[in-house]
Amino acid sequence: MEKIHIFHTNDFHSHLEHWPRIQGFLKEQREYYQSKGDENFLFDIGDFIDRWHPYTEATKGRGNIELLNQCGYTAVTIGNNEGVNLPHHDLDHLYDEAKFDVLNANLYKANGDFPDWVKPYKIYYTNQGTRIGVLGLTAYFNHLYNLLGWEITEPISELEKWLEPLRKEADVIILLSHLGITDDEKIAAHFPEIDVILGAHTHHVLEKGKVVDQTLIGAAGKFGHFVGHMTIHVNKEKVVTKKEAILYDFMEIPAPQKEEEQINDFLEKGKELLNQQVTILQEPLLSDPFHETNFSRLLCKALRDWCQTDCAMINAGLLLGSLSGVVTIYDLLHICPHPINPCIVKVTGEELEKIILETKGEELPYREIKGLGFRGTVLGVFVYEGIQFENDRILINQTVLDYEKTYTFALPDMFTFGHFFKEVLPHKHKEYLLPEFLRDLLKWELENQQ
């Protein structure tokens, strides 16, 4: 009987405050099983990088790749934070120094070829000759990938295509899935030949895995709160006889020596690399999530000017701090860490009024937001540019709103993903402006003012 150990991480999102402990633990575990003669592999299932962290932002993720190298990862797949939150050039060179495989069956160049750094799958051989077939898939954000010059294809159809050779070439099939738990369960139900699915994207926690039909699904939450470990038992006929899954809680992993020093080093390296002056403010720019300020008005103006629209809207909770004196690129990251892009929609005056009236809800500013690219806490009040209020009337650029007229309207993309303004926005065509984040617009506006 052969025991094969699979360690896995997912959705780390550059929470490097957890990395020294996890790195030490993984090295220790792998050395232990190697000493016993057991095979072991290490996979990351995407979103290892997140540009909120100064070290990731300063290195455009390449610093994170070096961390994976040091830990001896076998292979990774990409998540949306790698795929759509980096400009084309930066993603195309993210893995230049990688000492592991990047497996993804549904990411292509615009000409239909795989990028040089991607394989759809790979066969790994154990010392006893067992063939481990590993395939990767990532979430189907086709419109955003297209805007960045990539082609992303429908993952299930790619899975069907690549499973055909895998069935012939592999004794054990593992899927690295940055698709989310719902898709993972559907895949397990429809493709019983897949032995193991290592999941991600929806940040789900499966403490002992989840068995769907014959497939074992594993997932380790988010931010490095857990490390996953699966054990696969294979008999001499190369048939899987048993599969087990457990998670290790970060809080129960012993801290390495000088842990805080290592964590601080990541931060300081990033801050130093981003210590580039943008401007010198004559007056402070103040933030307040529950009141309109000169800073929130500036961000809204930057959004409208960048998008060249009739009007614009932001939420004040996007700004996580104030600025004064010398402003650096690090300062802009610190107060606006969100991977949120500008977006333009065309709406009628009647539709625009519905959106604006909804933003006036008394409870909305206090709503806590998780996900959608938002890295703050509360939504905050809404701030407008090109929209005025006079005697219970809405004006667009000092002219009374016309129900029949079509307006161009700029807003952060987080409001267009189906969770807000459901009566109007889900059905509208959206023009996403990539790769710039809101902090890039702030930098542009401050430089223009200077």
Side-chain angles (χ1 to χ4, degrees):
M1 187 70 69
E2 182 180 18
K3 282 187 181 180
I4 301 167
H5 298 274
I6 309 293
F7 292 93
H8 57 102
T9 54
N10 61 272
D11 297 290
F12 198 75
H13 285 278
S14 288
H15 277 267
L16 301 183
E17 70 275 15
H18 293 158
W19 183 247
R21 193 176 302 194
I22 286 175
Q23 181 185 42
F25 173 76
L26 286 170
K27 285 184 175 180
E28 182 182 84
Q29 288 291 307
R30 298 191 73 195
E31 288 170 1
Y32 169 73
Y33 286 110
Q34 284 171 359
S35 70
K36 292 181 63 178
D38 290 350
E39 295 286 344
N40 65 84
F41 298 88
L42 175 56
F43 301 110
D44 185 77
I45 324 301
D47 280 2
F48 186 74
I49 77 167
D50 193 313
R51 290 175 58 188
W52 74 268
H53 194 286
Y55 186 59
T56 302
E57 175 72 340
T59 63
K60 291 298 184 287
R62 294 194 200 183
N64 296 58
I65 302 311
E66 179 55 31
L67 300 181
L68 294 173
N69 283 340
Q70 292 170 8
C71 206
Y73 273 74
T74 309
V76 306
T77 197
I78 71 165
N80 43 288
N81 268 266
E82 289 88 6
V84 299
N85 286 341
L86 287 171
H88 186 283
H89 177 272
D90 291 313
L91 176 57
D92 205 23
H93 292 280
L94 176 64
Y95 299 101
D96 281 357
E97 304 300 323
K99 297 176 182 176
F100 48 82
D101 297 308
V102 181
L103 305 178
N104 202 286
N106 65 322
L107 174 70
Y108 295 86
K109 296 192 291 187
N111 66 3
D113 296 334
F114 281 114
D116 296 339
W117 42 272
V118 167
K119 303 179 183 74
Y121 71 89
K122 184 169 179 177
I123 306 297
Y124 298 93
Y125 293 85
T126 71
N127 289 330
Q128 295 188 32
T130 302
R131 303 169 300 172
I132 312 292
V134 185
L135 180 145
L137 292 170
T138 198
Y140 185 46
F141 295 141
N142 58 322
H143 181 57
L144 299 179
Y145 277 97
N146 289 342
L147 290 173
L148 290 166
W150 301 103
E151 180 72 26
I152 199 85
T153 54
E154 200 285 315
I156 306 304
S157 60
E158 292 287 355
L159 178 63
E160 291 176 333
K161 179 173 76 176
W162 294 105
L163 272 178
E164 188 172 340
L166 263 178
R167 291 187 190 101
K168 301 171 184 175
E169 298 176 31
D171 303 306
V172 178
I173 297 178
I174 297 172
L175 173 64
L176 312 182
S177 167
H178 198 89
L179 302 178
I181 183 62
T182 301
D183 281 349
D184 290 349
E185 290 173 347
K186 290 178 181 176
I187 289 169
H190 287 90
F191 300 98
E193 62 268 48
I194 299 175
D195 296 285
V196 163
I197 298 175
L198 303 178
H201 188 48
T202 44
H203 299 177
H204 46 292
V205 176
L206 300 176
E207 291 187 17
K208 294 186 178 181
K210 180 175 183 177
V211 177
V212 176
D213 286 354
Q214 301 174 49
T215 302
L216 178 60
I217 304 173
K222 62 179 181 178
F223 302 169
H225 291 155
F226 299 94
V227 174
H229 177 194
M230 286 193 176
T231 306
I232 303 172
H233 301 253
V234 180
N235 66 19
K236 61 183 180 180
E237 284 80 31
K238 307 304 181 189
V239 174
V240 175
T241 59
K242 186 178 179 183
K243 294 173 284 192
E244 304 161 294
I246 58 172
L247 292 180
Y248 302 102
D249 190 325
F250 170 84
M251 298 303 295
E252 297 175 4
I253 297 173
Q257 292 184 350
K258 299 182 179 180
E259 181 180 40
E260 289 301 321
E261 184 178 314
Q262 293 179 61
I263 294 166
N264 192 58
D265 191 45
F266 292 132
L267 183 62
E268 292 304 318
K269 280 182 181 177
K271 289 173 69 173
E272 182 180 351
L273 291 168
L274 296 174
N275 188 29
Q276 303 166 43
Q277 182 175 311
V278 175
T279 190
I280 300 176
L281 295 175
Q282 301 305 312
E283 296 182 359
L285 289 171
L286 304 176
S287 71
D288 182 339
F290 302 117
H291 296 90
E292 182 178 320
T293 67
N294 61 344
F295 200 1
S296 57
R297 286 193 296 271
L298 178 79
L299 176 56
C300 199
K301 179 181 184 301
L303 177 62
R304 183 189 177 191
D305 290 350
W306 182 269
C307 296
Q308 299 182 349
T309 53
D310 296 318
C311 52
M313 173 185 84
I314 66 156
N315 57 301
L318 287 165
L319 295 168
L320 307 187
S322 302
L323 295 176
S324 62
V326 176
V327 177
T328 66
I329 293 176
Y330 168 74
D331 295 326
L332 296 182
L333 172 68
H334 185 63
I335 57 90
C336 195
H338 329 279
I340 291 176
N341 306 103
C343 181
I344 303 171
V345 293
K346 292 181 179 179
V347 290
T348 66
E350 184 177 11
E351 291 168 332
L352 184 55
E353 181 185 69
K354 288 178 181 178
I355 292 171
I356 293 170
L357 292 178
E358 190 172 336
T359 67
K360 296 295 185 180
E362 291 184 4
E363 296 181 1
L364 200 56
Y366 300 93
R367 181 173 167 183
E368 295 189 3
I369 304 299
K370 294 182 179 179
L372 307 177
F374 188 63
R375 302 291 186 254
T377 305
V378 295
L379 202 58
V381 299
F382 283 83
V383 179
Y384 316 93
E385 178 73 14
I387 299 172
Q388 300 86 33
F389 303 92
E390 182 182 277
N391 299 326
D392 295 327
R393 296 188 304 174
I394 298 173
L395 284 67
I396 306 299
N397 299 312
Q398 306 302 330
T399 301
V400 175
L401 179 143
D402 183 344
Y403 269 25
E404 303 302 320
K405 184 177 177 179
T406 297
Y407 297 92
T408 54
F409 180 45
L411 70 169
D413 68 5
M414 62 182 279
F415 294 118
T416 67
F417 300 142
H419 298 268
F420 296 90
F421 313 113
K422 296 177 182 178
E423 192 174 343
V424 176
L425 290 183
H427 319 292
K428 289 291 179 182
H429 172 76
K430 292 95 176 174
E431 182 183 351
Y432 297 104
L433 304 186
L434 277 65
E436 290 80 13
F437 293 156
L438 294 181
R439 60 176 173 269
D440 297 313
L441 275 59
L442 270 178
K443 178 175 180 288
W444 173 75
E445 185 72 26
L446 290 170
E447 289 173 337
N448 283 346
Q449 290 192 359
Q450 185 180 38

